[in-house]
């Protein structure tokens, strides 16, 4: 039976089931009662009315995004640089802008506004991440961004010239409340800029691990146009970003407030040509995903049976999908290396592989490293060059299974 679309309540047709999955950012401690771990059915479908690709079941939002949400944007030098450059570019467009960020995490983006003494406010439900932002001089309201919160922010601080959000609005099934809030908060000539994974990149690269509890909506130009229109907003620009495996920076404005850049029509046309929303492409993605799982499991089992020591690199949220879908446990992968303090010393969600700091990795400490953080591969492989130089090999599974 079809479920109801989070955007338009239309019927969602399921096209891929990734089975029972834990929360991708819930890392139990070794002493915890593991029988209490929360699981849900991870499956994706596409709305037949507005074309939004989305999860068919979503865990309660407060279970995923809470005080001690462990992810930190600052964990990647490439992402720190990306957001600093983005902030500089967006802030240079206006005199004395008031900027609101939805999902400000540890304040990497707004830190640029703070350093220049510009008015700003971050809204984020994680108090721990917010404390890191405050340490950067960033002002934070610890809250989910909703229509009600947006109206309060406007009353207290005035209209926003820029609302920015990265990897956040696609995570929230209450998307319509967020967008009504943005419309209420935004100045008449203000702009709303958001960056999120692009459906086209997920399908083309068979990046099935982008499907996680937190990635509720998979945006395309076509679905975003309809989604924004419901709140009186209009898509006025799109820009492809190389980060996180292929994203789009969408720029929206109040309907009729400015004309759209040619990039919007171009992307809509491209999506039409490749049949991005067609059942055939979604079905082929599902089939490729199943083959990818079989290939990866066969490779790792083969290596392990020859006595190879295998670890993984990057306890990413995405890797929860891979590990649980492929059944990778500590018998196959003995540790996952990660720089995030809040993940170290804990176990991976559902599969219970120990998470260890980078000091546990290096030449001679493993034969193969499974690249869970493939979106940060360049940065990580540069840092860990000594591992490869000593004969260590990296295993990838996006865009295909290969050993490097
Ligand atoms: P992400 O793919 O959601 O950004 O998560 C990346 C994870 O990988 C995060 O837990 C931090 C970790 N990481 C490292 O351990 N070392 C690194 O050099 C980088 C860039 C990330
Ligand atoms: Zn819909």
């Amino acid at each position: 039976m079809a479920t109801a679309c989070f955007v338009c309540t239309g019927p969602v047709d399921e096209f891929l089931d990734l089975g029972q999955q834990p929360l991708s950012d819930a890392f139990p401690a070794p002493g915890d009662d593991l029988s209490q771990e929360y699981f849900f059915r991870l499956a994706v479908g596409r709305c037949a009315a507005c074309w939004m690709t989305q999860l068919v079941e979503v865990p309660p939002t407060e279970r995923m995004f809470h005080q001690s949400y462990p992810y930190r944007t600052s964990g990647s030098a490439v992402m720190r640089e990306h957001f600093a450059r983005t902030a500089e570019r967006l802030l240079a467009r206006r005199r004395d802008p008031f900027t609101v960020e939805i999902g400000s995490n540890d304040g990497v983006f707004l830190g640029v506004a703070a350093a220049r003494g510009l008015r700003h406010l971050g809204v984020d439900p994680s108090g721990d991440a917010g404390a890191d932002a405050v340490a950067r001089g960033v002002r934070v309201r610890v809250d989910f961004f909703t229509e009600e919160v947006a109206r309060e922010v406007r009353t207290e601080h005035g209209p926003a010239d820029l609302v920015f959000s990265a990897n956040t609005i696609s995570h929230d099934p209450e998307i319509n409340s967020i967008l009504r809030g943005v419309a209420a908060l935004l100045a008449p000539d203000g702009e709303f800029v958001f960056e999120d994974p692009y459906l086209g990149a997920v399908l083309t690269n068979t990046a099935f691990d982008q499907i996680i509890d937190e990635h509720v909506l998979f945006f395309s130009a076509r679905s975003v146009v309809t989604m924004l229109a419901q709140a009186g907003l209009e898509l006025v620009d799109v820009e492809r970003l190389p980060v996180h495996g292929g994203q789009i920076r969408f720029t929206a404005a109040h309907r009729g407030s400015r004309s759209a850049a040619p990039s919007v029509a171009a992307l809509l046309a491209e999506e039409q040509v490749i049949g991005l929303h067609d059942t055939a492409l979604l079905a082929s993605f599902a089939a490729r995903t199943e083959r990818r799982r079989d290939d990866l499991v066969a490779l790792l089992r083969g290596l392990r049976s020859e006595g190879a020591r295998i670890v993984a690199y990057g306890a990413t949220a995405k890797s929860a999908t891979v590990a649980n879908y492929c059944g990778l446990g500590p018998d196959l992968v003995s540790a996952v290396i990660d720089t995030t303090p809040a993940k170290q010393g804990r176990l991976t969600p559902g599969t219970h592989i120990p998470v260890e700091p980078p000091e546990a990795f290096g030449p001679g400490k493993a034969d193969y490293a499974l690249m869970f953080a493939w979106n940060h591969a360049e940065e990580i492989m540069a840092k860990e060059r000594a591992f490869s130089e000593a004969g260590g090999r990296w295993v990838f599974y996006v865009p295909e299974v290969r050993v490097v």
Side-chain angles (χ1 to χ4, degrees):
M1 199 194 64
T3 50
C5 172
F6 292 116
V7 178
C8 78
T9 72
V12 175
D13 301 313
E14 185 174 318
F15 62 85
L16 176 61
D17 182 355
L18 293 157
Q20 289 295 309
Q21 293 275 347
L23 302 180
S24 63
D25 264 315
F27 290 79
D32 287 355
D33 178 2
L34 297 174
S35 69
Q36 293 303 303
E37 230 176 343
Y38 178 94
F39 281 86
F40 74 108
R41 191 173 76 91
L42 181 66
V44 267
R46 183 219 50 191
C47 174
C50 76
W51 308 104
M52 183 67 78
T53 297
Q54 57 197 276
L55 298 189
V56 300
E57 191 184 314
V58 182
T61 314
E62 319 73 54
R63 278 196 98 115
M64 298 190 280
F65 308 109
H66 45 72
Q67 174 69 22
S68 45
Y69 181 64
Y71 185 76
R72 293 294 180 274
T73 307
S74 60
S76 159
V78 170
M79 293 315 297
R80 287 200 301 272
E81 168 71 21
H82 169 81
F83 286 120
R85 242 185 302 119
T86 304
E88 269 155 29
R89 201 172 109 190
L90 294 176
L91 293 172
R93 289 182 189 168
R94 286 158 205 268
R95 276 188 54 235
D96 188 31
F98 173 46
T99 306
V100 174
E101 184 177 9
I102 306 172
S104 44
N105 198 269
D106 52 2
V108 170
F109 177 86
L110 283 181
V112 176
R116 296 191 186 171
L118 296 172
R119 291 174 302 137
H120 67 273
L121 180 69
V123 182
D124 195 301
S126 168
D128 290 355
D132 291 355
V134 168
R136 283 196 166 80
V138 170
R139 189 165 174 177
V140 181
R141 172 171 173 158
V142 179
D143 236 330
F144 283 96
F145 185 95
T146 61
E147 181 176 10
E148 197 189 337
V149 166
R151 290 186 186 279
E152 285 173 18
V153 170
R154 180 167 180 142
T155 304
E156 204 178 316
H157 303 272
D161 303 291
L162 170 66
V163 176
F164 182 76
S165 185
N167 304 303
T168 303
I169 72 162
S170 62
H171 292 33
D172 197 333
E174 298 297 328
I175 183 71
N176 291 327
S177 169
I178 292 178
L179 295 175
R180 285 194 304 267
V182 170
L185 176 59
L186 211 55
D189 66 342
E191 58 182 2
F192 174 37
V193 178
F194 55 102
E195 321 183 347
D196 288 276
Y198 180 47
L199 175 67
V202 174
L203 298 186
T204 315
N205 298 327
T206 321
F208 66 96
D209 58 346
Q210 292 282 10
I211 303 165
I212 58 171
D213 54 351
E214 296 175 7
H215 292 175
V216 175
L217 306 169
F218 292 89
F219 293 161
S220 63
R222 184 171 185 174
S223 61
V224 162
V225 164
T226 315
M227 174 183 93
L228 292 171
Q230 291 191 165
L233 299 168
E234 202 166 40
L235 184 60
V236 295
D237 204 356
V238 289
E239 184 187 350
R240 280 178 191 276
L241 304 174
V243 297
H244 287 313
Q247 300 205 318
I248 297 233
R249 176 178 296 146
F250 298 92
T251 302
H254 286 293
R255 186 186 296 135
S257 66
R258 60 189 252 199
S259 51
S263 59
V264 175
L267 188 59
L268 285 166
E270 185 188 315
E271 291 179 355
Q272 186 72 26
V273 168
I274 65 168
L276 187 63
H277 306 87
D278 294 355
T279 312
L281 188 59
L282 301 175
S284 94
F285 167 75
R288 279 180 273 134
T289 295
E290 287 168 13
R291 263 203 314 274
R292 184 74 53 80
R293 171 190 56 190
D294 297 345
D295 291 351
L296 180 63
V297 170
L299 173 71
L300 296 178
R301 287 219 180 113
L303 294 172
R304 193 76 194 93
S305 70
E306 290 161 12
R309 292 164 303 163
I310 308 170
V311 300
Y313 210 109
T316 59
K318 290 184 291 294
S319 68
T321 293
V322 180
N324 286 278
Y325 179 58
C326 299
L328 312 181
D331 50 326
L332 266 184
V333 176
S334 58
V336 183
I337 308 301
D338 198 288
T339 50
T340 314
K343 297 180 183 178
Q344 292 164 0
R346 292 181 166 259
L347 304 172
T348 56
T351 48
H352 310 146
I353 305 169
V355 181
E356 294 176 4
E359 293 73 53
F361 186 73
K365 295 203 175 139
D367 303 303
Y368 292 86
L370 179 59
M371 185 56 98
F372 275 161
W374 52 266
N375 47 318
H376 301 291
E378 242 178 86
E379 182 175 351
I380 290 171
M381 287 166 80
K383 220 161 34 180
E384 303 289 3
R385 215 176 27 229
F387 171 72
S388 322
E389 284 170 359
R393 326 241 345 234
W394 295 92
V395 178
F396 284 82
Y397 48 87
V398 171
E400 69 246 323
V401 174
R402 67 200 164 94
V403 179
V404 180

